[in-house]
Structures are given as structure tokens and as C-alpha cells.
Amino acid sequence: MILTVTLNTALDLTYRVRSLRPHTSHRVSEVVERPGGKGVNVARVLAALGHEVTVTGFTGGGTGRAVRDRLAGVPGLTDALLPVAGATRRTVAVVDERSGDTTQLNEPGPQIDPAEWGTFLDRYEELLPGVSVVALCGSLPPGVPVGAYANLVRAARAHGVFVLLDTSGEPLRRGVAARPDLIKPNIDELAELTGSHEPLRATQDARRRGAHAVVASLGAEGLLAVTPEGRWQAVPPAPAHGNPTGAGDSAVAGLLSGLVEKLPWPDRLARAVALSTATVRAATAGEFDRAAYEELLTRVSVTAA
């Protein structure tokens, strides 16, 4: 079983407009709602790939109910989300149909009080003995301690559970010090963590800071992996144009599915890049185009770095 943790779940809204222009009114041609937050996105992709996955974290208010309602019909996905007094946030992606560009608006999330955080920690400890892999994903809502991920990493390691960390800023810095098995920052998050803008040097430095392995997202240049088993770069066959929302989460799902299926690193990276690129190409934020994924998987280039 795979467990994903999304402390800051969201209801993702995608608006499509003919052309996005400042200081004007827009007629929206299409609105799509879907459950979101990084760990939720990861879980939905894992379930689509045929894996059993449990989702935990916080939800609240009408948006929280909408998130849970939309998760209820996903085969292979178990909802272990905890209710809180505050309302789950919304994220809004505005897609400009003319240019293909996307503008993203992210709310901060509900205020989590100490009792709610304590209840989550109890639930997390209850879930860990039944899982082999845990993914800790996304931002922290207000009220959650900045060192939260470091504590969750240590708890997972104490149970012998493989732990992937995908966050940014101070939560990432503290989380890396707790020695997660894998981190997946993008190039900007990696530079913020290490102070280096050279990808290979930065990934090596992140390992020295505590990460067992690092897979860095390089945008159009794919993924760079630095692991105890070797170093590789996986590159898509061509730049992807479309909506990047959820692309990094699809990459995480590809890495985790490859891990539990015991695939070698080059195959995990090829899957992650193919899924990420297929997500950018999909019409709706956070979905992936299965036909595109299967076609891309055969054309991703993976070379030693």
C-alpha cells in the first residue's frame, strides 16, 4: 500500500478563456472542478496506474466536502482525510486558449489548531504499519509547525517505510535534515535549498544535507536523478506545451509506481517524464493523457549524467 499525505488539500478549478487580458472582463468557456493538492494528485495518478493508495491530510467546509465527494468514486483510492473546522482552499487555473499559457491562483488553506494537528499525528502513526511507501507532498497550511515534515519523515523511517518528500522552502530544508529516502524538488526549490544554480552540484549538495536520493525537475530538460546507484538524466522527446498544473505530481507518481514495481532507476525516470509530459498536454489541470503517456514512454531518452 502507498500512503500520500496532503496537509493542504484543495479543490482545483480550471477556467478556460479565449484570451486572458488584464483589466478586462472575460467570458469563461469551460469550468472543471477536481480534487487537488499535491499528494491528492499523486494518489489519483497512482490509482489510474492500478496501484492501491490511501490519502490522508485535512479537509474542511464545503470545498472539503466537494474534494471528498470527487475522491469517493476513484477505484483503488482510500480516503483517510481528517475533517477540520476551517475550509479547504481553492486553486484556480486560468487557461488562455489562444496562447496555451496558464495563470495559477492559490489560496493559503485553513488554519489548523494544535488539537487538529495532534489528531492527524495519531492517524498518521496508525496508518504507517500498513504501508510500504509514504509520499509527503505540498505546502503547509497555516498553524502546522514548519518542522512538520521532518517529524513525519522520522516517524516513517522508524517504521521502516520508504519516504518521499516533495515540498519547498523551510519545510524542505528541515525535512531533508531528517534524511528522507528521496526528495523531488524543481530547479528553483533545489537552488533555494542549496544556494547552487548548477543542477548536478545542487543535487549532490542536497544528498550531503541528508537526502538519500534526489530527483530534480529541470522543466523542459526533464529529470536529473542522483542516487547511490548512479546518476541519470531523463529528457522528453520534445518540449511540452499546455497546462503544467500537476505535472510534477505525475512525475512523483511515476517514481513511486516504479519503486513499488521494483523497476530499475532508468525505467522509473522514463515513466515519470512520460507521465509529467502527458499531464502538461492534457486538457484539464492535473489529469494525464493516457494515449500520450503510452506513446511518450517509448521515446523518453535516459542517459548517464
Side-chain angles (χ1 to χ4, degrees):
M1 176 71 74
I2 301 171
L3 174 66
T4 71
V5 173
T6 312
L7 297 176
N8 211 3
T9 55
L11 182 65
D12 289 345
L13 307 175
T14 301
Y15 293 159
R16 300 184 71 85
V17 299
R18 184 172 182 181
S19 178
L20 182 62
R21 294 168 293 162
H23 316 301
T24 63
S25 297
H26 296 80
R27 188 173 298 278
V28 177
S29 61
E30 182 185 26
V31 181
V32 178
E33 294 186 354
R34 51 176 292 281
K38 292 181 73 65
V40 170
N41 295 338
V42 171
R44 292 173 65 249
V45 175
L46 284 166
L49 294 172
H51 291 277
E52 297 291 323
V53 58
T54 296
V55 176
T56 193
F58 299 116
T59 59
T63 49
R65 287 192 296 274
V67 167
R68 302 189 82 166
D69 288 346
R70 286 159 175 77
L71 290 177
V74 179
L77 189 149
T78 299
D79 175 357
L81 293 164
L82 295 174
V84 294
T88 293
R89 66 191 177 126
R90 295 160 298 182
T91 68
V92 179
V94 183
V95 179
D96 184 320
E97 294 176 338
R98 182 169 294 175
S99 69
D101 291 338
T102 300
T103 299
Q104 189 80 15
L105 304 173
N106 296 329
E107 296 179 359
Q111 181 75 31
I112 305 301
D113 67 31
E116 291 168 337
W117 177 238
T119 299
F120 170 79
L121 291 176
D122 291 342
R123 172 66 62 88
Y124 183 69
E125 287 283 354
E126 292 170 0
L127 290 168
L128 283 175
V131 304
S132 59
V133 177
V134 60
L136 308 173
C137 303
S139 61
L140 301 178
V144 172
V146 70
Y149 281 135
N151 291 334
L152 299 182
V153 169
R154 294 187 188 100
R157 288 178 56 84
H159 284 270
V161 175
F162 182 101
V163 56
L164 179 149
L165 177 62
D166 183 13
T167 188
S168 60
E170 186 65 12
L172 175 60
R173 188 184 71 80
R174 297 197 187 194
V176 166
R179 301 189 175 278
D181 294 283
L182 175 62
I183 63 170
K184 198 217 69 65
N186 63 35
I187 193 64
D188 294 330
E189 293 162 350
L190 189 61
E192 183 181 7
L193 173 66
T194 66
S196 174
H197 291 272
E198 199 288 309
L200 185 57
R201 180 180 302 166
T203 51
Q204 291 171 325
D205 183 62
R207 289 197 65 213
R208 286 192 290 270
R209 291 169 184 260
H212 189 65
V214 180
V215 175
S217 296
L218 307 181
E221 297 180 20
L223 298 175
L224 173 65
V226 177
T227 80
E229 292 80 18
R231 305 184 310 204
W232 298 271
Q233 184 167 352
V235 182
H241 300 285
N243 187 346
T245 304
D249 306 326
S250 290
V252 169
L255 294 170
L256 292 180
S257 63
L259 169 70
V260 298
E261 293 173 29
K262 304 187 186 305
L263 298 182
W265 267 108
D267 291 345
R268 298 183 210 176
L269 294 167
R271 179 179 290 184
V273 167
L275 280 169
S276 178
T277 306
T279 299
V280 174
R281 291 186 181 181
T284 302
E287 305 291 343
F288 74 93
D289 185 318
R290 185 173 291 275
Y293 159 63
E294 292 173 353
E295 186 270 336
L296 286 162
L297 189 58
T298 65
R299 299 197 296 127
V300 174
S301 170
V302 184
T303 58

